Amino acid sequence: MDATSELAFFALLADKGSFTATARELNLTPPAVSKRLAQMEQRLGVRLLNRSTRRVSLTDEGELYLEHAHRILADIEEMELSLGNRAAAPKGLLRVNATLGFGRTTIAPIVSDFARLHPEVEVQLQLTDAPLDLVASGFDLGIRFGELPDSRLAARKLMSNRRFLCASPAYLQARGEPQTPAELAAHACIVHRQNDDAWGTWRLSRGRQTETVKVRGTLASNDGDVVLGWALDGHGILIRSEWDLAKYLESGRLRVVLPDWTLPAADLYAVYPARRNLPARVRAFVDFLSAAFAGEPLSAGSAADRRVRRSQG
């Protein structure tokens, strides 16, 4: 017997509680079942079962063996189901949630290419100004920037994404450039009001030093593209991620402020309700997203491939 067969045999024998019932299940004779058990016990060097004329009962060693057998057999079943899901053709309804601006400009083209590759998957892309509760709303997947506080979710990191303070050269020439975080309080700051973050409270770090600054300004919005446009127009200092800023920093339309200080990162994740077996359509889309943000070709001349590469600079 191989190890897996031994585990399954012993689990069945413990469940049936008799040699006769086990023999009937396996289409063997009771003496053959008894011999098989004796060979296991001889190999292990311990007694697993107490025998009687009608029933068998587990010894302490048998209880321990059975506990491990159940766990190992369950892991094997889980592995085989997972491999089966990978092999299965993705199909069915896939509900995805993403934020408005990023979902429209970046995720939607990726969905377009995914749909072309997997025509049996029906994709519903819901764009919202704040992330939805995936579990309560019945979504399969969400695209999220930053921390993931919900322990009910599993996550796969798609991209590292730092955040910077930035402003236009025109603003810095007119108002001067802050040299310390405390000086931000005297500047016009553009606030991006998103999720449940403390609006207008910026936390910066340098080494082990951390400073929290309450900033003020006359402009605020919950739309990232809007606040970025105001910064480009010279209205003040803004926090944005390198994903959004790359082309403007390269062209000189924006400059990094306080470059020696760092802000909490806004890494990009695919998140989904934690479950033992992901449907093939969810696994396929997460893999597709990962390939897109890793810079791997999605398909010849795909819109998403061009958009991702252009956004990355």
Side-chain angles (χ1 to χ4, degrees):
M1 288 188 296
D2 59 48
T4 304
S5 296
E6 278 197 350
L7 296 172
F9 164 73
F10 188 75
L12 177 65
L13 179 56
D15 178 60
K16 295 297 182 181
S18 78
F19 292 127
T20 301
T22 303
R24 190 180 302 116
E25 185 77 17
L26 296 177
N27 197 27
L28 298 172
T29 64
V33 172
S34 179
K35 181 180 178 180
R36 191 168 177 177
L37 174 64
Q39 290 173 339
M40 285 181 59
E41 291 178 326
Q42 183 178 6
R43 183 179 64 81
L44 295 170
V46 296
R47 190 175 183 86
L48 298 174
L49 289 180
N50 296 310
R51 285 84 160 168
S52 69
T53 55
R54 294 190 176 185
R55 301 290 297 175
V56 295
S57 61
L58 295 170
T59 64
D60 288 344
E61 291 78 10
E63 293 276 6
L64 180 61
Y65 189 91
L66 182 62
E67 178 185 341
H68 285 276
H70 281 155
R71 184 172 69 249
I72 293 168
L73 291 170
D75 286 343
I76 291 172
E77 182 182 11
E78 167 70 12
M79 175 191 68
E80 292 179 346
L81 285 172
S82 178
L83 292 174
N85 278 336
R86 283 184 177 273
K91 59 184 177 180
L93 177 61
L94 175 68
R95 303 188 70 215
V96 181
N97 174 235
T99 54
L100 284 168
F102 188 74
R104 182 174 56 251
T105 61
T106 304
I107 301 302
I110 294 176
V111 169
S112 174
D113 290 318
F114 179 82
R116 189 175 294 111
L117 187 64
H118 299 287
E120 293 189 44
V121 179
E122 177 189 350
V123 184
Q124 292 181 0
L125 177 61
Q126 180 92 357
L127 303 182
T128 54
D129 58 354
L132 296 179
D133 183 324
L134 300 182
V135 176
S137 303
F139 277 81
D140 298 294
L141 186 80
I143 313 298
R144 301 282 187 271
F145 283 102
E147 296 296 324
L148 305 172
D150 194 336
S151 60
R152 298 173 299 170
L153 301 179
R156 180 166 168 182
K157 185 175 177 179
L158 301 175
M159 179 184 69
S160 296
N161 189 38
R162 296 171 296 172
R163 297 199 300 171
F164 299 103
L165 289 171
C166 62
S168 70
Y171 172 85
L172 296 174
Q173 184 176 1
R175 297 288 301 272
E177 187 168 345
Q179 301 301 309
T180 66
E183 293 181 20
L184 291 171
H187 278 264
C189 294
I190 303 169
V191 177
H192 185 195
R193 303 171 67 129
Q194 57 181 341
N195 305 340
D196 296 322
D197 295 344
W199 298 328
T201 301
W202 293 354
R203 181 166 54 88
L204 297 91
S205 300
R206 185 174 61 181
R208 296 184 177 181
Q209 181 183 2
T210 298
E211 293 198 23
T212 301
V213 183
K214 183 67 176 177
V215 299
R216 295 182 302 172
T218 58
L219 295 177
S221 175
N222 67 336
D223 188 284
D225 291 337
V226 168
V227 294
L228 181 58
W230 288 336
L232 290 167
D233 289 340
H235 286 286
I237 298 174
L238 174 69
I239 294 177
R240 291 302 289 166
S241 73
E242 60 182 326
W243 172 271
D244 299 301
L245 294 178
K247 61 184 177 182
Y248 300 112
L249 295 177
E250 184 178 355
S251 67
R253 294 186 64 189
L254 292 173
R255 283 170 41 192
V256 173
V257 175
L258 296 174
D260 295 334
W261 292 80
T262 60
L263 293 150
D267 297 339
L268 182 67
Y269 293 90
V271 298
Y272 38 90
R275 61 185 72 170
R276 290 179 67 84
N277 289 298
L278 277 181
R281 60 187 179 274
V282 177
R283 192 183 303 278
F285 188 62
V286 172
D287 289 343
F288 199 79
L289 286 168
S290 183
F293 289 101
E296 299 174 16
L298 303 180
S299 60
S302 73
D305 195 25
R306 294 194 301 272
R307 185 67 60 92
V308 168
R309 291 179 183 276
R310 185 164 63 248
S311 298
Q312 290 175 329

